[in-house]
Amino acid sequence: MASGIRKRLGGPIYAVADQCIYSASQLLLSFALARALSPSDFGIASAFLAIVSFQYILHTAVVHEPLLIKRHYADRSAAWWSWALVLAVSLAGFLAWQFTSFPGSLRWAGVALIVGYEIFWLFRSVLLVGRRYLVLCISGILISIGYVAVLIGLKPATWTQALLWIAVIQLPFALLIARTLKSVIAPLPAPADAQALTVKEAASYGWKASLSQLMSWIMTGGAILLLGSSADSVQGGLLKIYITFLLPMQYVLLALGYYILPKLAASWNSEGRRDAFHLFIKFVIFGFMVAEIGGVLLGLLGPYLVVLAFGKNYGGMDFSPFFYAPAIFGLTMCLRTGFRAAARPGALLWCSIFGALVFAACMLVAKPPISYIQTINAMTLGFACMAAMMIGWLFVIMRGPRAAAQVR
């Protein structure tokens, strides 16, 4: 019996452990950047990292989620073309922002950062499909050591040098991708009922899922980009710190959501859909409670933690939104898993558009100069409206007729 319990709990525990380590690596990156750079340079670096968060949306939608559902690519070329698509769109988005916000010479640090992060995320996606959590945990620890050693040890003088060093320490993961690529290629000869992932399926699912994630990015990374590119770039850094404190909760809920996603996707439109719904509802309630508890703790301890982690320059931050905002944010994170399991990226897109429109309306009526607190309040209301619409739509999906489960 003990071995059975260990088997049931072991997978989720290892998945959460990996995401906690990965979350810690991103937290250490923010801490090290804030201490190594001036507040103004930190705000600009945060704007560049917001571009990377946009890239992560594309990677998750086109590569990570479809691969978790199907488990294999149809062939090696399907993998390369899917990955190249993410990289090409990410670079195009970066160049568009580069020439509008930073006219003049091309900031090669941004290009290097995008390539480096895509290599690192591909490595993580391939290993997560195979549930090789030990290797993932070790890689997370190594990348954390690299961030601290480079940014604190070498003390880059400018944000450009800092971003280049961040990119460099992620390049070695390309070798590990080459060694593990065969684990996500459909074995030959393929079983008769095999449904391996093709480029067309990845792109079809990906454009809807990425657009829905883009709506959320507008309220988070996009807001950091907006404030970091403004005359008062310090506000962008303050918003970056706020969102950084949300990362641990986000990654824990993502880990649990992705862990149960294959099971939910297989059962959502089958005879076992009732059990799938029960599991999903338990996950949503659990995630909401964890987010609220974490938010209250951050609201109480935040003023002390921010000085400890980021330095005295940020000691005057207002942490009152943490008492309610993380719970709403966590709720939307959990509800997304239901749409993914039901293969309804289109429905998720409409819910996300509604939340983004509410956020945009709040920002338009806000009195300039726009502060990070105004942005946080607008972001919270946008996510609350999104969550309300998601709950209503999921209720319709649950009560509706069964459909064939597929990535579309």
Side-chain angles (χ1 to χ4, degrees):
M1 181 175 179
S3 61
I5 295 175
R6 191 182 304 113
K7 185 176 180 181
R8 291 184 61 185
L9 295 181
I13 290 175
Y14 292 140
V16 170
D18 161 58
Q19 285 291 352
C20 286
I21 292 174
Y22 177 69
S23 174
S25 72
Q26 301 308 300
L27 284 171
L28 284 172
L29 173 59
S30 296
F31 299 161
L33 275 174
R35 289 183 174 274
L37 303 175
S38 67
S40 179
D41 270 9
F42 178 62
I44 296 174
S46 297
F48 274 83
L49 289 174
I51 292 289
V52 172
S53 68
F54 166 75
Q55 175 193 0
Y56 181 67
I57 290 172
L58 295 173
H59 174 86
T60 299
V62 178
V63 175
H64 191 69
E65 290 178 3
L67 190 55
L68 275 179
I69 295 172
K70 285 295 186 76
R71 313 295 292 179
H72 291 97
Y73 283 107
D75 50 52
R76 189 178 294 267
S77 65
W80 289 120
W81 279 111
S82 297
W83 301 350
L85 177 63
V86 173
L87 188 60
V89 175
S90 301
L91 289 173
F94 165 72
L95 292 175
W97 174 73
Q98 154 81 63
F99 292 120
T100 55
S101 299
F102 288 90
S105 60
L106 177 63
R107 306 286 181 169
W108 288 103
V111 176
L113 197 68
I114 286 174
V115 173
Y117 261 104
E118 186 58 28
I119 289 173
F120 182 56
W121 287 329
L122 284 175
F123 167 75
R124 286 185 54 78
S125 293
V126 171
L127 291 188
L128 281 169
V129 169
R131 299 196 173 186
R132 298 177 61 183
Y133 296 114
L134 179 60
V135 180
L136 284 165
C137 290
I138 293 173
S139 66
I141 293 172
L142 291 176
I143 202 79
S144 301
I145 295 173
Y147 289 148
V148 175
V150 164
L151 295 175
I152 301 300
L154 298 181
K155 297 181 179 179
T158 63
W159 60 266
T160 304
Q161 294 179 12
L163 296 185
L164 283 172
W165 275 116
I166 293 170
V168 166
I169 64 175
Q170 303 191 76
L171 294 180
F173 289 97
L175 299 176
L176 297 174
I177 291 175
R179 295 186 60 182
T180 55
L181 177 61
K182 63 181 180 180
S183 64
V184 293
I185 304 301
L188 296 176
D193 59 345
Q195 295 183 347
L197 184 64
T198 63
V199 179
K200 183 178 179 181
E201 288 174 325
S204 177
Y205 178 94
W207 79 266
K208 295 177 184 178
S210 59
L211 281 178
S212 67
Q213 288 278 31
L214 177 62
M215 298 300 107
S216 297
W217 177 85
I218 289 173
M219 294 185 279
T220 53
I224 294 175
L225 191 63
L226 175 66
L227 296 184
S229 302
S230 66
D232 188 6
S233 60
V234 174
Q235 295 296 315
L238 294 174
L239 183 60
K240 169 66 175 178
I241 290 173
Y242 174 84
I243 293 177
T244 297
F245 275 105
L246 292 177
L247 286 178
M249 174 198 68
Q250 174 185 350
Y251 286 126
V252 167
L253 296 181
L254 269 178
L256 291 174
Y258 283 141
Y259 184 82
I260 67 174
L261 178 58
K263 182 177 180 179
L264 288 177
S267 305
W268 195 273
N269 296 292
S270 68
E271 295 299 326
R273 69 192 312 237
R274 182 180 295 274
D275 293 336
F277 294 157
H278 289 165
L279 174 62
F280 172 64
I281 292 172
K282 290 177 183 178
F283 170 63
V284 171
I285 295 174
F286 173 78
F288 178 80
M289 292 176 62
V290 168
E292 177 58 25
I293 293 172
V296 171
L297 291 176
L298 285 173
L300 295 173
L301 302 177
Y304 308 99
L305 293 177
V306 72
V307 173
L308 180 64
F310 291 93
K312 295 181 180 179
N313 289 332
Y314 306 97
M317 286 189 64
D318 181 0
F319 275 79
S320 58
F322 273 100
F323 288 102
Y324 55 88
I328 296 173
F329 181 71
L331 179 62
T332 61
M333 293 288 297
C334 295
L335 291 171
R336 286 178 183 275
T337 302
F339 285 87
R340 291 163 179 149
R344 297 292 184 93
L348 179 58
L349 173 59
W350 284 113
C351 297
S352 302
I353 289 174
F354 177 60
L357 288 175
V358 172
F359 168 78
C362 293
M363 294 294 285
L364 287 174
V365 300
K367 295 182 179 180
I370 299 177
S371 69
Y372 74 101
I373 284 294
Q374 289 174 295
T375 307
I376 291 170
N377 290 332
M379 178 176 65
T380 303
L381 182 58
F383 277 116
C385 293
M386 184 194 305
M389 189 171 181
M390 290 167 78
I391 291 173
W393 208 309
L394 279 171
F395 180 77
V396 172
I397 292 174
M398 289 180 180
R399 302 281 294 188
R402 288 183 293 181
Q406 58 183 2
V407 176
R408 58 181 182 270

